[in-house]
Amino acid sequence: MTSSAPSTSPTLSTAELIALRDSARSDYAKLVERGLSLDLTRGKPSPDQLDLAAEMLTLPAGGHRAADGTDTRNYGGLHGLTELREIFSGLLQVPTAQLIAGGNSSLTLMHDSVVHAMLSPLPGAGRRWADEERIAFLCPVPGYDRHFALCERFGIELIPVPMTAQGPDMDVVERLAGEDAQIKGIWCVPKYSNPDGVCYSDETVRRLAGMRAAAPDFRIFWDNAYAVHHLTDTPVEIADLLALCAESGNPDRPFIYGSTSKITFAGAGVAFFGSSPANVSWLLGHLAKSTIGPDKINHLRHVEFLRDEAGVLEHMRRHRELLRPKFDAVETILAKELGGTGLASWSTPQGGYFVSLDVLEGCAREVVRRAAEAGIALTPAGATHPYGDDPRDSTIRIAPSYPGLEELEAAITGLTVCVRLVATEKLLESAR
Amino acid sequence: MTSSAPSTSPTLSTAELIALRDSARSDYAKLVERGLSLDLTRGKPSPDQLDLAAEMLTLPAGGHRAADGTDTRNYGGLHGLTELREIFSGLLQVPTAQLIAGGNSSLTLMHDSVVHAMLSPLPGAGRRWADEERIAFLCPVPGYDRHFALCERFGIELIPVPMTAQGPDMDVVERLAGEDAQIKGIWCVPKYSNPDGVCYSDETVRRLAGMRAAAPDFRIFWDNAYAVHHLTDTPVEIADLLALCAESGNPDRPFIYGSTSKITFAGAGVAFFGSSPANVSWLLGHLAKSTIGPDKINHLRHVEFLRDEAGVLEHMRRHRELLRPKFDAVETILAKELGGTGLASWSTPQGGYFVSLDVLEGCAREVVRRAAEAGIALTPAGATHPYGDDPRDSTIRIAPSYPGLEELEAAITGLTVCVRLVATEKLLESAR
């Protein structure tokens, strides 16, 4: 996924470095003078992506009845509308009967899963997590800051695991999960991962499903946020975790999440939870105490608009038309400005919402700071790591989706100036 | 609120009782023969009430922008739309800045409040509730079964407190809350209470706000579910709990809840949480870990439809036109069939969704069982009490809103047959 690994000692002479730094300083001064105000921080759909679903604002147009006659306006129906779950069953690799359609946020479903595990024993658990001395989660890094924040909020210890091009380093995962019964979970974004666009290989998924876990209540938090968010003609398929877990005798291991936040409306989509029958009953039993049911009108609205699985894929093709030029622009500018310099490497994702930029060790924070001074807002360096601590201080997450193409190009070009400036200053400093 | 207290020994001779029982038996046999299938279990709006908001299905029609220009389709805005909070600020007696508009369920906000108090210390608390040996809530009875179920799910002890015509018996509340630091909360439905329609007097609200509580983190869970759900020309106003608590030096005591579930759509409304600035910050801080914001399009939809406070009240007048005949029918039938018999008493609520029927001690379960056998589904007897245990076995909750008027009349008439049958059998048995 990564075009080249950044070296900490590019083969440039001191004179060449000084020339590079001086030109970067001059470019940076001009950049600051432009007084930009650009934002690459969050993976938000752009207004024109949201416009693709404009029709939804005034749906449902066909009345308020679900396929089975349910009045979607009234209370009830904890599972969510069957016809909506049917549309997403194949896409999320969860049988319809084991798939719950909820409110507008999959993060909420992840949060609620942790909350209920804190306060009630999971299937297979001896006791609730709140009564454990210590709980830990494995966190493949770089990863998603909101996963980490959710765990930190509950005092759950975060253990980083290195990512490879095939997913988390499974030798490390198997060793840690196999020996430490206090490790209760692992965060996974298995397809087009946030931020580096990795897709888990079949072998990785198979090992996750089949490995020994010391904790009887170990769970894989499978945040399949980008299941259909392809950027190429050859959509990536990942292995079926739920089926593999069941085949391996670990049916209750996966908690699967998805949503339409980046399909229809980011703030008004529908979130999904899928798992084994035992886990689904466990969650529904607790949800029943906190709600009389999700917003079924919004479910119906989604069914009318998306129609079926093919409708989802066709809609995603239109998103791709808007997103692909932005990702191409990022790749083109990074290659033009930083290619062959040895000062940075970056991912070229085949889907999802992010590009991961790796700068020389010890430079990421300074690059983000310099960019901010030039009016280019980036996700804080370190956010991709537990506790905001990237020990190499080298990963920067780029979110190209929200700005317009021209703004994006200006921001990425400016960012490369900051990378050249900080890297050359650093190299010259350590050469002294 | 209650027309007459049921006596356990009506002044009827044995002969009169036998005659009454025999006629009830004959009526009951005919009732069973009719093979009814009627449902008085839950406080659901009827389809014609939901039709009042039919226009909302295809809103917003005026685009996707909030008043401040926010794109409601995208992520963000944890507080909810300001203009929606402004509409409900006065109605819920909470300043707009201290009012949060959330998802579709106030029960979820109550649940989340308890969850976060379980897992993080409340403002004023020394530790989180999960680390307490024991936690208890005061439960005015009869009350709302979902409040009780929510607490039971977390192992919170439920302590019943008798209701009076002015609200919970404040002598009991003050004594218990004042002496037991493990009592952390009280459930209140202050206006048109579920199920007996009681409205808390100003004196009750003042005492709740000002009383000494042994627990520094004592909270009043103020479920103002029926704030605008009047059935008469003289809407009841209750005292301003939030202001009174602040004046009394207990600003963080109230947690205030409301929703549009019984205003617009039961399953697709908007829920509200209001409290002191400290409590609002506390809840928002935790919500920020579980969501990137509520469904703001649904907020906008509500703003377009309801417009302002006057729009809400006008809309509620139309609900009243549909609900009032049903409540009148219940009163008329109960008075005609049971009035003066001493076999039952009942509430004549001035608002809200329920009528509370009190039958002779030890008869409620049997009445509900007999009604079920005759095809009339009622909320399980005891549901109005913690642990489903009504020690007098006398309270039955009637929900008249959902059925059509004719169905309702058939169901209530059938119910009175069951009351007469069970009561006369019981009296004759104890006379033996």
Side-chain angles (χ1 to χ4, degrees):
Chain A
M1 291 292 125
T2 296
S3 53
S4 64
S7 160
T8 50
S9 56
T11 52
L12 291 170
S13 69
T14 303
E16 285 170 320
L17 273 174
I18 290 173
L20 246 171
R21 181 202 58 192
D22 290 348
S23 94
R25 278 186 177 166
S26 155
D27 290 348
Y28 185 72
K30 286 180 219 151
L31 183 69
V32 171
E33 239 168 57
R34 289 180 62 189
L36 297 175
S37 176
L38 302 170
D39 193 331
L40 298 176
T41 55
R42 305 294 329 175
K44 289 165 69 168
S46 62
D48 54 354
Q49 287 182 268
L50 298 167
D51 286 345
L52 296 176
E55 181 192 337
M56 277 190 81
L57 286 175
T58 50
L59 294 180
H64 57 264
R65 297 269 171 209
D68 66 356
T70 297
D71 185 339
T72 59
R73 305 169 303 177
N74 222 322
Y75 289 117
L78 212 49
H79 256 95
L81 242 56
T82 306
E83 52 267 47
L84 180 62
R85 296 186 287 120
E86 280 168 354
I87 294 176
F88 282 89
S89 170
L91 298 170
L92 293 172
Q93 301 170 301
V94 179
T96 303
Q98 290 163 238
L99 190 63
I100 299 170
N104 75 326
S105 168
S106 57
L107 189 66
T108 299
L109 287 172
M110 296 174 214
H111 176 269
D112 289 354
S113 306
V114 173
V115 158
H116 293 302
M118 291 290 290
L119 296 171
S120 291
L122 280 163
R127 53 182 175 177
R128 60 182 196 163
W129 292 356
D131 293 331
E132 302 275 357
E133 274 295 303
R134 167 182 161 258
I135 308 170
F137 267 51
L138 300 179
C139 303
V141 291
Y144 180 36
D145 54 352
R146 290 189 192 273
H147 289 163
F148 306 151
L150 196 165
C151 278
E152 276 190 71
R153 179 254 173 284
F154 296 115
I156 296 173
E157 183 186 331
L158 304 174
I159 302 175
V161 172
M163 280 291 270
T164 74
Q166 282 74 47
D169 184 328
M170 283 307 300
D171 292 341
V172 176
V173 169
E174 284 169 346
R175 182 172 54 75
L176 291 171
E179 74 193 11
D180 184 348
Q182 297 314 113
I183 295 178
K184 300 295 190 185
I186 181 171
W187 286 110
C188 297
V189 182
K191 197 189 275 192
Y192 310 131
S193 74
N194 176 351
D196 49 8
V198 166
C199 297
Y200 287 24
S201 70
D202 291 356
E203 175 68 7
T204 297
V205 180
R206 209 182 46 69
R207 286 174 74 176
L208 280 166
M211 70 181 185
R212 202 187 80 78
D217 50 352
F218 180 83
R219 291 293 183 276
I220 298 170
F221 283 69
W222 197 250
D223 183 1
N224 202 355
Y226 309 108
V228 291
H229 303 61
H230 315 296
L231 287 169
T232 76
D233 282 331
T234 49
V236 171
E237 298 291 342
I238 54 171
D240 182 338
L241 180 72
L242 193 61
L244 286 170
C245 283
E247 282 166 27
S248 308
N250 301 312
D252 297 335
R253 182 169 289 182
F255 277 175
I256 294 173
Y257 305 93
S259 85
T260 70
S261 294
K262 292 184 180 84
I263 298 175
T264 55
F265 293 136
V270 177
F272 299 92
F273 170 87
S275 193
S276 66
N279 284 336
V280 168
S281 297
W282 173 84
L283 187 64
L284 283 178
H286 296 310
L287 284 180
K289 302 294 188 289
S290 74
T291 177
I292 315 177
D295 181 344
K296 296 185 299 299
I297 297 179
N298 203 33
H299 291 188
L300 189 61
R301 191 176 286 127
H302 276 72
V303 171
E304 272 196 20
F305 180 67
L306 296 169
R307 290 186 315 278
D308 50 26
E309 188 176 303
V312 174
L313 296 175
E314 168 58 19
H315 189 69
M316 293 315 293
R317 199 190 50 72
R318 302 169 72 198
H319 277 286
R320 180 185 148 198
E321 282 174 6
L322 297 171
L323 282 171
R324 185 60 199 253
K326 294 183 181 178
F327 280 83
D328 285 348
V330 173
E331 169 65 29
T332 302
I333 295 167
L334 291 178
K336 174 165 169 266
E337 302 293 333
L338 299 174
T341 64
L343 301 180
S345 64
W346 54 91
S347 60
T348 46
Q350 308 298 296
Y353 262 64
F354 300 99
V355 172
S356 186
L357 174 68
D358 263 28
V359 294
L360 295 190
E361 190 164 342
C363 290
R365 273 174 215 282
E366 183 62 8
V367 168
V368 171
R369 191 184 70 76
R370 293 285 193 137
E373 282 187 4
I376 302 166
L378 293 160
T379 308
T384 53
H385 286 64
Y387 311 112
D389 177 27
D390 173 5
R392 297 186 65 242
D393 186 24
S394 71
T395 301
I396 294 172
R397 187 181 81 163
I398 300 172
S401 58
Y402 190 78
L405 190 55
E406 272 183 46
E407 282 188 334
L408 176 66
E409 288 171 341
I412 299 295
T413 305
L415 173 60
T416 63
V417 171
C418 300
V419 171
R420 279 190 286 124
L421 176 65
V422 173
T424 50
E425 285 182 344
K426 174 95 180 173
L427 287 171
L428 283 166
E429 193 181 301
S430 48
R432 266 191 303 190
Chain B
M1 292 293 125
T2 296
S3 54
S4 65
S7 161
T8 50
S9 54
T11 50
L12 291 170
S13 69
T14 303
E16 284 169 320
L17 273 175
I18 290 173
L20 246 172
R21 181 202 58 191
D22 290 348
S23 95
R25 278 185 177 167
S26 153
D27 290 348
Y28 185 72
K30 285 180 219 150
L31 182 69
V32 172
E33 238 169 61
R34 288 180 63 190
L36 297 175
S37 177
L38 303 170
D39 193 330
L40 298 176
T41 55
R42 306 290 333 172
K44 290 166 69 167
S46 63
D48 53 356
Q49 286 180 269
L50 297 168
D51 286 344
L52 296 176
E55 182 192 337
M56 276 189 83
L57 285 175
T58 50
L59 294 181
H64 56 264
R65 296 271 172 206
D68 66 357
T70 297
D71 186 338
T72 60
R73 304 169 304 177
N74 222 322
Y75 289 117
L78 212 51
H79 256 93
L81 243 55
T82 307
E83 52 267 46
L84 180 62
R85 296 185 286 120
E86 280 168 354
I87 294 175
F88 282 89
S89 170
L91 299 169
L92 293 172
Q93 300 170 300
V94 179
T96 303
Q98 290 163 238
L99 191 63
I100 299 170
N104 77 327
S105 167
S106 58
L107 189 66
T108 299
L109 287 172
M110 295 174 215
H111 175 269
D112 288 354
S113 305
V114 172
V115 158
H116 293 303
M118 292 290 290
L119 295 171
S120 291
L122 280 164
R127 52 182 176 177
R128 59 182 196 165
W129 292 357
D131 293 330
E132 302 274 357
E133 272 296 302
R134 166 182 163 258
I135 307 170
F137 267 52
L138 300 178
C139 303
V141 291
Y144 181 35
D145 54 352
R146 290 190 191 272
H147 290 163
F148 306 151
L150 196 166
C151 278
E152 277 190 71
R153 179 254 173 284
F154 296 114
I156 296 173
E157 182 186 331
L158 304 172
I159 302 175
V161 171
M163 281 290 272
T164 74
Q166 281 76 46
D169 184 327
M170 283 308 299
D171 292 340
V172 176
V173 170
E174 285 170 344
R175 182 172 54 74
L176 291 172
E179 74 192 11
D180 185 348
Q182 297 315 113
I183 295 178
K184 300 294 189 185
I186 182 171
W187 286 111
C188 297
V189 181
K191 198 190 274 192
Y192 310 133
S193 75
N194 176 352
D196 50 8
V198 167
C199 296
Y200 288 24
S201 70
D202 291 355
E203 176 68 5
T204 297
V205 180
R206 209 182 46 68
R207 286 174 74 177
L208 280 166
M211 70 182 184
R212 202 186 82 77
D217 51 351
F218 179 83
R219 291 294 183 277
I220 299 170
F221 283 70
W222 196 251
D223 182 1
N224 203 354
Y226 309 108
V228 292
H229 303 61
H230 314 296
L231 288 168
T232 77
D233 283 331
T234 50
V236 170
E237 300 289 343
I238 55 171
D240 182 338
L241 179 71
L242 193 61
L244 287 170
C245 283
E247 282 166 27
S248 309
N250 301 312
D252 298 334
R253 182 169 288 180
F255 276 174
I256 295 174
Y257 305 93
S259 85
T260 69
S261 295
K262 293 184 179 86
I263 298 175
T264 55
F265 292 136
V270 177
F272 299 93
F273 171 85
S275 193
S276 66
N279 284 335
V280 168
S281 295
W282 173 85
L283 187 64
L284 283 178
H286 296 311
L287 284 179
K289 302 295 188 288
S290 74
T291 177
I292 316 178
D295 182 344
K296 296 184 298 299
I297 298 180
N298 204 32
H299 291 185
L300 189 61
R301 192 175 284 128
H302 276 73
V303 171
E304 272 196 19
F305 181 68
L306 296 170
R307 291 187 313 280
D308 51 25
E309 187 176 304
V312 175
L313 296 175
E314 169 58 20
H315 189 69
M316 293 314 293
R317 198 191 51 70
R318 300 169 72 198
H319 277 287
R320 179 185 150 198
E321 282 175 6
L322 297 170
L323 282 172
R324 185 58 199 255
K326 294 183 181 177
F327 280 83
D328 285 348
V330 173
E331 170 67 30
T332 302
I333 295 167
L334 292 177
K336 174 166 169 264
E337 301 294 334
L338 298 174
T341 64
L343 301 180
S345 64
W346 54 91
S347 61
T348 46
Q350 308 298 295
Y353 262 64
F354 300 100
V355 171
S356 186
L357 175 68
D358 263 28
V359 296
L360 295 190
E361 190 163 342
C363 288
R365 274 175 213 282
E366 183 63 8
V367 168
V368 170
R369 193 184 70 77
R370 294 286 193 136
E373 282 186 4
I376 302 166
L378 293 160
T379 308
T384 52
H385 286 63
Y387 311 112
D389 176 27
D390 173 6
R392 296 185 66 241
D393 186 25
S394 71
T395 301
I396 294 171
R397 187 182 82 162
I398 299 173
S401 57
Y402 190 77
L405 191 57
E406 271 183 47
E407 283 188 335
L408 176 66
E409 288 170 343
I412 299 295
T413 306
L415 172 59
T416 64
V417 171
C418 300
V419 171
R420 279 190 286 123
L421 176 65
V422 174
T424 51
E425 284 182 344
K426 173 95 178 173
L427 288 171
L428 283 165
E429 193 181 301
S430 51
R432 265 191 302 191

